[in-house]
Amino acid sequence: MLQFAVAGPLVRGWAWIVDVIIRFCLLMLIVFLFSDLLSNQEAELFIAGILIIVQFVLAWLYTSLYEGLTGATPGKKMFGLKVIHENATPLTGSGAVIRNFLRAIDGLPVLNAVGLICMLIDNRFRRIGDLAAGTVVVYQDKRPHHSAEKAAQATSPPASLTKEDRQAIVDFAERSIFLSKDRQLELANLLKHHMKDESDPVATLKGWADWIMGGQYNAQSKDI
Amino acid sequence: MLNQKTFEQQHKQTWAELDECLTALEATRLFRKRKTDSAHHLPTLYANLCQHHAIALSRGYSHTLVDTLHAQINRAHHQLYRYQGNWLARTMRFIGGGFAAAVRKEAKLFGIACLLFFGTALVAGSFAAYSEDIAELILGGRTKFNIEQMYEPNTFDIRPANMEDASSFYMFGFYIANNIGIDFRVFASGIVFGIGSVFFLLLNGVSIGAAAGHLSAIGYVDTFWGFVAGHSAPELLALCISGTAGLMLGRALISPGQQSRALALLRNAQAAVPLVLGAGLMTLVAAFIEAYWSPLEFALPIKVAVGLLIWVVFGAYLLFAGRAK
């Protein structure tokens, strides 16, 4: 079963603001590039024409094209979001068109109010465009990486561990690099009374983890 | 039970192979051809990976391993199910007849949209032509004054002297942004049970019809009809087609048939996309004609003949293009 973390209104709001800023900057960039050419009325008309077209493309096609081709606008990418269909397949071109053209309704009356209300009602934070296109905005997977510290030596854990216990112990070892020494000790101390050698609970716990990961775990273990 | 390290050892190679395959596939961009020989292994590798993930989950292997496998599954899933086709060929097929076929499929709604727009235009036009007071009532005093100014035969030339090119280009940009924007809005507003689309079709019908009726009645025939004849076909048909797309959204909510409203909306929206995009393209064509042909000074009969020819071309396209042989 594929699982995704659905993105909420706040992070999507930030992504939207970033996209608005990017588009504004692009428009300003064009004004800036052509500003030297504003010598006569004729050139002014030309540039005004270009600006109108660019503004139209940015308003209507920027999001559709980005999402249709890459699954996320630059703003969404920045916040680690992407748009997918509800069956977890990548966003299709028509899906991108539907959900982005319906921004005309979601954006009403100001600042995406309609879309926000719809998102807050829906259990998957879908706005009207998402409902019509069958899409959800989710967090892109962060690639997890193995980070277990090597224990000094594998020691056999108590025999009565359940599957969840074993998993918790391994998780402790793998996540210990994100924890301070004090926090590690605090956590390891919770299991102190199960340890034969109580001198260094953290090392013992990591030894157990190493045993669970690599050692043959069996009921014959004599340690309790 | 196999411990995690042995399990990882056993399947390390499969995972590495899959990773390599995915990395190659992910590197493919829009214009670059995919050059992966291992791509045809993907389905098998994907199936294996799913099995490994299920095993890891049920045996309670570490969350890091389970999450890593899950992330890889997502990557593979994405590659397996993404659209893989020649987008250029797809676009050509669309223009070459796919669009017309999509419109014909919704002939009934298209008829309703046309009736809403052209019907009100005809009625409003007749009333406006009959009485100037009614024209002013419909158009509003300022708009009426403005269009009278604009199409005044003695001063008619919307392009400032000596700046024809720049002015045409500016108007081209303006027509694109304004008219295609209207098309898209007409579609989007259909989500409100179709009311938005109906409203916009009626609104445009009334104002365009009244303007045409009034200007004809006061004798600005050459300037007005000469100007609008050329681009009228693609612009007005596109408006009705985007109206049709909007009505499809409304239909999904009002009468979903033997399916849930959510599913009906999904399917209708999907089917409406070709209509919206096609309408956008037609309006682009209309904007080009409006900017570069319509302001040219030719005799009215020539203008009208060309306009009619364009109507015939677009009519024939919508009727016959993309029919199964």
Side-chain angles (χ1 to χ4, degrees):
Chain A
M1 193 66 174
L2 286 171
Q3 291 180 331
F4 291 93
V6 177
L10 194 64
V11 68
R12 287 172 66 176
W14 283 119
W16 177 76
I17 289 171
V18 168
D19 280 326
V20 169
I21 292 172
I22 289 174
R23 281 180 278 185
F24 179 75
C25 290
L26 279 174
L27 212 57
M28 285 299 109
L29 185 74
I30 291 171
V31 174
F32 178 74
L33 281 178
F34 286 118
S35 59
D36 289 348
L37 298 173
L38 289 177
S39 47
N40 58 50
Q41 266 193 310
E42 194 169 358
E44 257 175 50
L45 268 179
F46 257 120
I47 292 157
I50 289 171
L51 278 178
I52 290 181
I53 295 174
V54 170
Q55 172 269 332
F56 169 77
V57 169
L58 288 178
W60 285 99
L61 306 179
Y62 165 94
T63 47
S64 313
L65 280 175
Y66 260 116
E67 288 181 0
L69 294 174
T70 69
T73 58
K76 287 200 178 68
K77 211 163 278 171
M78 196 174 139
F79 288 91
L81 306 179
K82 65 173 176 179
V83 189
I84 58 171
H85 279 287
E86 278 161 347
N87 57 3
T89 51
L91 185 64
T92 57
S94 49
V97 167
I98 297 167
R99 77 182 296 280
N100 285 306
F101 279 21
L102 283 177
R103 276 175 201 277
I105 298 300
D106 277 315
L108 293 174
V110 280
L111 293 172
N112 301 315
V114 168
L116 180 66
I117 291 168
C118 184
M119 279 168 80
L120 292 176
I121 295 169
D122 186 68
N123 60 355
R124 270 180 276 180
F125 297 131
R126 290 171 297 179
R127 56 178 179 82
I128 292 173
D130 287 319
L131 292 172
T135 53
V136 269
V137 180
V138 297
Y139 284 95
Q140 246 155 359
D141 274 312
K142 288 185 212 77
R143 304 258 173 85
H145 47 277
H146 278 280
S147 54
E149 277 181 65
K150 195 89 195 101
Q153 118 188 53
T155 49
S156 60
S160 56
L161 294 180
T162 64
K163 189 171 96 178
E164 284 71 30
D165 294 338
R166 280 182 278 133
Q167 212 164 16
I169 291 169
V170 173
D171 282 344
F172 170 78
E174 285 182 338
R175 288 173 189 171
S176 59
I177 57 159
F178 301 114
L179 303 172
S180 68
K181 285 270 179 278
D182 291 342
R183 180 65 180 148
Q184 287 184 36
L185 187 65
E186 198 179 357
L187 286 169
N189 272 339
L190 295 173
L191 293 172
K192 209 166 158 183
H193 54 282
H194 291 297
M195 295 175 185
K196 206 168 56 179
D197 175 14
E198 295 186 6
S199 62
D200 188 354
V202 175
T204 311
L205 204 53
K206 285 177 183 170
W208 288 1
D210 210 41
W211 178 279
I212 293 166
M213 294 272 284
Q216 194 65 46
Y217 178 79
N218 55 44
Q220 288 161 18
S221 170
K222 279 175 281 182
D223 302 78
I224 272 295
Chain B
M1 190 185 81
L2 205 58
N3 68 51
Q4 184 173 334
K5 274 188 181 147
T6 323
F7 179 79
E8 284 178 19
Q9 209 62 38
Q10 266 182 10
H11 301 300
K12 214 166 62 183
Q13 201 175 346
T14 313
W15 299 342
E17 224 177 296
L18 181 72
D19 189 57
E20 196 187 326
C21 180
L22 289 175
T23 311
L25 284 171
E26 280 163 0
T28 0
R29 287 279 178 272
L30 199 56
F31 294 101
R32 222 184 310 152
K33 272 260 178 286
R34 55 186 59 224
K35 44 171 188 270
T36 55
D37 312 320
S38 55
H40 61 278
H41 292 312
L42 184 63
T44 322
L45 291 170
Y46 174 70
N48 287 339
L49 184 70
C50 290
Q51 196 195 2
H52 297 161
H53 175 255
I55 292 172
L57 204 60
S58 73
R59 287 186 186 160
Y61 289 153
S62 79
H63 281 116
T64 316
L65 178 67
V66 173
D67 291 349
T68 310
L69 294 177
H70 186 266
Q72 290 294 84
I73 288 177
N74 275 346
R75 273 177 80 196
H77 189 81
H78 188 95
Q79 289 303 322
L80 270 179
Y81 291 99
R82 74 172 187 172
Y83 173 76
Q84 299 180 6
N86 188 332
W87 60 271
L88 193 65
R90 199 188 186 196
T91 310
M92 297 317 281
R93 259 205 317 280
F94 175 73
I95 296 171
F99 167 49
V103 175
R104 282 197 303 273
K105 215 168 167 188
E106 297 298 339
K108 214 159 128 193
L109 277 189
F110 180 61
I112 294 175
C114 285
L115 204 67
L116 286 173
F117 175 74
F118 290 109
T120 44
L122 207 65
V123 172
S126 312
F127 276 112
Y130 170 72
S131 143
E132 195 162 338
D133 290 340
I134 296 179
E136 184 157 349
L137 189 70
I138 296 173
L139 291 168
R142 179 168 294 173
T143 314
K144 178 167 162 287
F145 176 75
N146 283 343
I147 59 171
E148 278 171 9
Q149 288 277 303
M150 198 173 149
Y151 293 102
E152 161 70 42
N154 298 321
T155 56
F156 180 72
D157 187 1
I158 62 161
R159 302 178 304 172
N162 307 324
M163 299 205 299
E164 277 89 359
D165 287 345
S167 167
S168 286
F169 182 74
Y170 170 76
M171 289 317 287
F172 180 51
F174 173 77
Y175 295 141
I176 286 180
N178 190 58
N179 297 349
I180 302 183
I182 288 176
D183 286 348
F184 291 170
R185 259 184 283 273
V186 169
F187 160 67
S189 60
I191 195 81
V192 194
F193 303 96
I195 296 170
S197 301
V198 172
F199 172 75
F200 278 121
L201 285 171
L202 293 179
L203 186 74
N204 280 291
V206 166
S207 57
I208 292 175
H214 174 62
L215 291 170
S216 307
I218 59 174
Y220 294 176
V221 175
D222 278 26
T223 47
F224 177 74
W225 289 103
F227 181 74
V228 300
H231 59 265
S232 60
E235 190 170 313
L236 301 183
L237 284 173
L239 182 67
C240 290
I241 290 172
S242 54
T244 310
L247 291 178
M248 287 166 76
L249 297 182
R251 178 183 62 190
L253 298 176
I254 293 170
S255 98
Q258 299 291 341
Q259 54 196 345
S260 70
R261 283 195 164 73
L263 187 61
L265 180 61
L266 227 62
R267 288 182 174 160
N268 275 284
Q270 186 80 21
V273 168
L275 273 66
V276 183
L277 295 182
L281 281 177
M282 270 174 86
T283 308
L284 185 68
V285 174
F288 188 80
I289 298 173
E290 186 170 4
Y292 290 100
W293 160 257
S294 299
L296 299 184
E297 285 164 37
F298 286 103
L300 183 66
I302 298 175
K303 282 277 180 102
V304 171
V306 171
L308 284 176
L309 184 72
I310 297 174
W311 270 98
V312 170
V313 168
F314 274 99
Y317 170 77
L318 288 177
L319 275 174
F320 301 114
R323 278 196 193 275
K325 279 159 197 134

